[in-house]
Amino acid sequence: MNAADASAPTLAVHAQLAQRVIGIGELITSGESGAVFITYALGSCVGVSMHDPVAGVGGLLHAMLPTSSLDPARARTSPGTYVDTGIAELLAQCGRLGAQKSRLVVTAAGGAALWESGNAQFPIGKRNVIALKQLLWKEGLLLRAHDLGGSHPRTMRFAVGSGGVVLTTYDPATSRPVHRAVTPGEFPR
């Protein structure tokens, strides 16, 4: 097993647990130490986890578009659709659970250019990453770890209790999954 596969045994146990799947445009928060959230197919979308290790709370967002100015009515009913309203709502929900912004550990993935040649005039992945970084800067938050850009989709798993984040991509040569822990932390057994 190489370093990139170091988290595979943990994931094998983790995969047997009940997980909450976060769909496109959704977000969720929890203070339950055993909660595990997963979001699939982060292509041009961005996934953002926030974790307060002291309060033991965290959440995961799967945002599809950079700004809610595209459809304010939709942003009111589904804030997770957009990076700007999704980050604001994720911060608010974590805060209601006892998180303090100064302690938040933020991790992000996605923002890929999956169809770059056909989408050069509207590079949504790049725009999502720019919006995310600008919003976090305004909020005084830094990314602890990230895997942004590129040309491949990712799956993101987040363990609320430890704040652990594991990304899964697929090796194009073998079509096998490659698991990589981007923030340390155990997943519940």
Side-chain angles (χ1 to χ4, degrees):
M1 177 167 31
N2 64 37
D5 295 327
S7 61
T10 304
L11 285 175
V13 172
H14 165 230
Q16 296 171 5
L17 298 172
Q19 302 178 81
R20 172 69 193 271
V21 176
I22 311 307
I24 297 171
E26 295 181 343
L27 66 95
I28 188 170
T29 57
S30 177
E32 295 179 30
S33 64
V36 176
F37 305 142
I38 184 169
T39 193
Y40 295 98
L42 288 168
S44 59
C45 296
V46 290
V48 181
S49 68
M50 293 185 181
H51 179 250
D52 181 333
V54 175
V57 303
L60 182 64
L61 163 70
H62 184 145
M64 180 173 59
L65 296 167
T67 176
S68 59
S69 64
L70 299 168
D71 188 347
R74 183 174 182 184
R76 284 189 291 280
T77 59
S78 181
T81 301
Y82 304 98
V83 174
D84 61 351
T85 52
I87 293 294
E89 184 64 20
L90 189 59
L91 280 168
Q93 287 188 24
C94 284
R96 284 193 289 275
L97 291 173
Q100 290 185 14
K101 191 162 65 168
S102 62
R103 297 188 306 233
L104 285 175
V105 176
V106 183
T107 304
L114 299 179
W115 305 281
E116 190 169 325
S117 62
N119 202 14
Q121 300 224 337
F122 193 66
I124 195 66
K126 184 176 183 177
R127 292 182 63 206
N128 281 338
V129 171
I130 290 168
L132 173 65
K133 288 181 176 181
Q134 287 175 340
L135 285 163
L136 292 176
W137 179 263
K138 283 182 184 178
E139 291 292 339
L141 296 168
L142 298 175
L143 285 170
R144 172 72 57 89
H146 63 84
D147 186 7
L148 297 165
S151 60
H152 58 280
R154 299 134 170 116
T155 292
M156 186 175 188
R157 286 181 176 85
F158 170 64
V160 171
S162 67
V165 174
V166 173
L167 298 180
T168 303
T169 57
Y170 289 87
D171 182 335
T174 64
S175 296
R176 289 189 157 167
V178 177
H179 307 290
R180 184 168 60 91
V182 293
T183 59
E186 290 296 313
F187 281 79
R189 295 186 186 266

